[in-house]
Amino acid sequence: MTTDTQQTPTVDEARVEAFAGQLITDFAGAATTAMAVLGDRLGLYRALTGAGPVTAAELAERTGLHPRLVTEWLRQQAVSGYLTVGGDTYELPFEHALALSVVDSPAYLVAAGEIIAGYFQSLENLEQAFRGNGGLSGDEVPGCTYHGIERYFRTAYVNQLVQAWFPAVPGLVAKLEAGARIADVGCGHGFAGLLIGRTWPASTVAGFDLHEPSVATARARAIEAGSPPNVSFHVADSAELDKHGRFDVVVFFDALHDMGDPVAALRAAHEALNPGGIVVAVEPWSADDWTSTIGMPITRIGYASSTALCTPTSLGQPGAYGLGTLGGPSPRLDLLAAAGFADPIVAADTGFNLVVSATKI
């Protein structure tokens, strides 16, 4: 029995059906993400690249994998539109390979699947964070997440850093060509620092990160690269950068929003910079009005990352600022101004990243 204030709501059956369809589509995408991670880890995409049409048996023999499971994986990839099928053969179109297996391609995005796989591995810890103080420690983040981040952002570094990001910052390239001391704050596994050091050999790069396993990996990457004398990596708190000497350039690559105290980090950067020094922060693309991005795949991924990784790990550090992965350029510009930098600007908007910069007077 219902009263006037407890009436049964009218159900829009078409809306129910439409949303159920959207949910199934999203779950299909999540399931396919798991299969993409599997194909990436097992080398299946690499084996298919340039191979033309192959049968499941041929692919299984080529990769040394179980033929029955390879068959099911191929069918899943075909029904998902990743592979084309003709009779009993399957083929990876080269255009798809550019996203799945061609490492230096500007479309190489498969590593994002490893980051998403890490969200699922983190669910129990994330539940506790929601019920507790909101924080996750770096040690609670799975290794696949860190390695996925390295590979995922490598695509942007290889195809954007030298070509678009740095040239867009007034005066930056000239400083690097003349020889500058650069601090890469939140350096992670060190790929960007090594790229900068290789591109501008007159400059020196010191990478800093609080996460010891990441710094260990960065040092290993440096050894693999021939131990360049102008690049080094250090375990250090971003808020204490000014204790490591003076710099001409300070960069934050996809790191500012991850920090427990980005305000202190930027103030330390300001203190550590020589007069005329430049600070650069590259952040994921977002808009000040988040509602204008509703339904966009890039922000659907970004807010998931913010919820599952970036914001809780920020809340798990001293300062617990929780800036968030997205939120638009304005909060970033405000942070730079509050730290004492003059005339902060959005130097570049690639549609995938925002490059904000400012100068120390």
Side-chain angles (χ1 to χ4, degrees):
M1 180 176 180
T2 61
T3 67
D4 290 342
T5 59
Q6 294 178 314
Q7 294 184 6
T8 302
T10 301
V11 175
D12 184 335
E13 296 292 346
R15 189 174 186 180
V16 172
E17 185 175 349
F19 179 71
Q22 176 187 334
L23 197 60
I24 288 294
T25 299
D26 287 347
F27 288 165
T32 301
T33 297
M35 296 300 100
V37 170
L38 191 63
D40 180 42
R41 291 181 181 180
L42 293 172
L44 286 161
Y45 293 129
R46 290 189 297 276
L48 285 164
T49 301
V54 296
T55 66
E58 289 168 341
L59 183 61
E61 182 177 2
R62 189 172 301 173
T63 56
L65 300 174
H66 195 287
R68 184 68 189 89
L69 294 181
V70 168
T71 299
E72 291 305 290
W73 181 85
L74 285 167
R75 289 176 179 175
Q76 195 282 332
Q77 295 286 283
V79 298
S80 298
Y82 286 31
L83 305 179
T84 58
V85 61
D88 63 350
T89 65
Y90 304 83
E91 185 171 4
L92 176 64
F94 183 67
E95 292 81 2
H96 296 192
L98 291 173
L100 293 169
S101 59
V102 181
V103 175
D104 286 336
S105 159
Y108 184 65
L109 297 171
V110 70
E114 288 282 7
I115 304 173
I116 295 168
Y119 301 163
F120 287 95
Q121 292 185 36
S122 301
L123 281 177
E124 289 188 8
N125 290 332
L126 192 58
E127 287 177 29
Q128 294 305 312
F130 266 79
R131 294 189 172 97
N133 66 3
L136 285 179
S137 72
D139 292 338
E140 291 178 296
V141 177
C144 70
T145 298
Y146 288 112
H147 288 285
I149 287 170
E150 177 190 18
R151 294 174 61 209
Y152 180 59
F153 288 102
R154 182 187 187 281
T155 298
Y157 297 149
V158 167
N159 294 283
Q160 295 287 326
L161 190 154
V162 175
Q163 301 89 331
W165 295 350
F166 278 19
V169 178
L172 177 56
V173 171
K175 275 187 181 294
L176 300 178
E177 290 175 342
R181 188 163 187 247
I182 305 146
D184 179 5
V185 183
C187 64
H189 288 181
F191 185 87
L194 288 165
L195 176 60
I196 293 168
R198 183 169 63 250
T199 306
W200 291 283
S203 293
T204 61
V205 183
F208 301 94
D209 204 295
L210 195 58
H211 188 243
E212 292 188 26
S214 289
V215 172
T217 300
R219 289 170 176 166
R221 297 282 189 269
I223 293 171
E224 293 169 359
S227 299
N230 64 334
V231 182
S232 60
F233 298 103
H234 313 270
V235 178
D237 189 331
S238 60
E240 298 181 347
L241 178 64
D242 52 320
K243 296 182 179 180
H244 296 271
R246 310 294 292 180
F247 297 91
D248 303 298
V249 178
V250 177
V251 295
F252 298 82
F253 292 119
D254 195 57
L256 192 64
H257 63 269
D258 291 317
M259 294 176 176
D261 196 342
V263 177
L266 287 172
R267 286 176 179 161
H270 186 271
E271 184 65 26
L273 277 168
N274 291 315
I278 298 172
V279 64
V280 179
V282 180
E283 290 277 278
W285 182 89
S286 61
D288 288 329
D289 177 9
W290 70 270
T291 63
S292 69
T293 70
I294 288 174
M296 293 176 62
I298 193 170
T299 53
R300 292 181 67 193
I301 292 171
Y303 277 110
S305 179
S306 193
T307 305
L309 178 64
C310 303
T311 303
T313 53
S314 172
L315 295 175
Q317 300 172 53
Y321 193 91
L323 177 62
T325 310
L326 306 186
S330 291
R332 276 82 177 154
L333 297 174
D334 291 344
L335 286 174
L336 288 169
F341 289 100
D343 301 322
I345 61 170
V346 177
D349 177 346
T350 68
F352 196 77
N353 290 100
L354 297 170
V355 180
V356 298
S357 68
T359 304
K360 178 178 177 177
I361 299 300

